[in-house]
Each structure stands twice: as structure tokens, then as C-alpha cells.
Amino acid sequence: MSRCVFYLLRHAPTLWNLDKRIQGQWDSELAPVATAQCEALAPQLAGLTLARILCSDLGRAKSTAGILNRSLRLPVTLEKRLREQHYGDWTGKHWRDIPPEAIAAAEAAGWDFHPTGGESRADVRQRAEHALIDAAKANGGRNVLVVTHQGVIKAVLYHLLGRAYLPSEPPAFDPNRVQEVVCQGGQLTLGRLDLELPQP
């Protein structure tokens, strides 16, 4: 199987992001700054010689890809397995309204972090990795931009880094920058973190 390189990018900020409200698999409109951010980023992404955009099917990811694609003009594939973690009963709430002891207990569970009625980080990691491996089979030898969510990016990269996903671990990368993952022979490996993008 040919080598496929994925460039993982978090969607542009939303109104709920700015309000520190939990989106999970619900949606919020992109924040006013999103368009300018995407328009500035697109020429740099063009330097990666991309062949396709693989995108979460949630609205904020699709909107981000749409703005980027005004310049990139690439075919887009929507992938529901790249959705953000399902936050169950926490969805729609402000972080400040979740009891601190509930957040601490959930974070201490590491990969088993599991809001009531939602899914675990391990679940997110498994479905996202399967999505990337399947996409690699269809895009061998190509570079693919993946527009997805912070929870998805962290789950994939923390697994490749061998992390326990505990709050005591220091940050390993900036989730707002582009991260590189390589797939070859059905196996994902870590590429470059916090990628320095080519200047237009």
C-alpha cells in the first residue's frame, strides 16, 4: 500500500468555543474571526501539495473546509467517524456549570474519560484511526488535509505518542496548528508536530 500523508487541522473557532460551551456533536456557527483566519491559512496549506480534503461531517468542520476550499479547490469527502467526542449529558452546557469534581474524576480516567450518555476518548481514537486507515487505502501516494476536531486530533496523536491522556502530562503539541500523520501498510505513524507551513 502506498504511503499516504495526513495533515490534521482543527476547525476554525466557533461562537460556543469563545463562550466556553461544550459542543460535542452539536454545532455552533463559526466565530467572526474564522473567515479571515481560514483565508490567511489557505495559501500556506496549498504548499503541502494536497490532493483532497477529508472532513468531519459536523457543520463547523464543513464550514471551515468550505472557506479554505475557496482557494484550495479540492475534492471533499465527509467522514462521520471524524466527529468530535460525544459529550452526552454535558453537551450544550458551559464548562463552568460542570461540577469541578465531575471534571476531575472524568479527566483522571484518562482514555476512559466518559461523560454520562457519551463516548470515551478510546472510542474516539478507534473510530478516527479506522477512518484514516480507510482513507489511506483510497488515497495512496497522496497528501490529504483532514479538517476535524480537537478531541479527535488529541486522541489520534496521544495514542501514537503512547500517552495515558492524564491531566498531569504536559502538552505535547498545539492543537490549533497542523499536525502530520503518515499511513503506510495500514499502520499509522507520527509525522511532524506543530508543522511549519510553507510560506506562499
Side-chain angles (χ1 to χ4, degrees):
M1 184 186 300
S2 300
R3 183 174 184 265
C4 181
V5 180
F6 295 107
Y7 295 100
L8 277 56
L9 175 69
R10 184 190 183 194
H11 63 80
T14 69
L15 296 177
W16 280 22
N17 287 148
L18 300 183
D19 198 32
K20 300 189 184 305
R21 192 172 175 187
I22 301 169
Q23 296 174 110
Q25 296 187 359
W26 287 8
D27 253 323
S28 168
E29 292 182 14
L30 295 184
V33 298
T35 298
Q37 287 184 359
C38 291
E39 289 176 346
L41 180 61
Q44 298 178 66
L45 293 172
L48 298 175
T49 319
L50 300 165
R52 175 174 296 277
I53 298 175
L54 182 65
C55 183
S56 159
D57 67 345
L58 295 181
R60 56 193 185 271
K62 290 193 293 184
S63 295
T64 299
I67 299 170
L68 292 171
N69 222 15
R70 294 173 190 169
S71 173
L72 297 175
R73 299 184 181 278
L74 297 170
V76 178
T77 300
L78 299 181
E79 175 55 80
K80 65 181 182 180
R81 291 175 292 178
L82 293 175
R83 291 178 179 180
E84 180 59 287
Q85 181 176 0
H86 190 325
Y87 270 77
D89 293 350
W90 292 12
T91 305
K93 296 181 178 180
H94 290 89
W95 280 106
R96 64 177 178 268
D97 295 330
I98 307 297
E101 61 272 17
I103 295 175
E107 290 184 336
W111 286 101
D112 292 326
F113 174 105
H114 190 233
T116 303
E119 64 180 334
S120 72
R121 289 164 168 167
D123 293 332
V124 176
R125 189 273 304 169
Q126 186 176 51
R127 61 174 166 80
E129 288 185 351
H130 287 166
L132 294 179
I133 291 169
D134 287 347
K137 294 175 184 176
N139 294 280
R142 297 174 179 171
N143 297 342
V144 177
L145 177 66
V146 180
V147 181
T148 183
H149 308 268
Q150 178 171 282
V152 172
I153 295 171
K154 282 188 172 182
V156 171
L157 296 188
Y158 280 8
H159 182 242
L160 294 177
L161 287 164
R163 290 200 157 207
Y165 216 138
L166 294 172
S168 57
E169 296 173 325
F173 58 89
D174 181 348
N176 294 309
R177 299 187 69 181
V178 177
Q179 316 298 333
E180 184 182 70
V181 171
V182 177
C183 186
Q184 188 161 16
Q187 296 293 320
L188 297 176
T189 56
L190 198 61
R192 294 165 290 176
L193 298 178
D194 294 344
L195 196 63
E196 290 292 336
L197 293 173
Q199 293 300 311

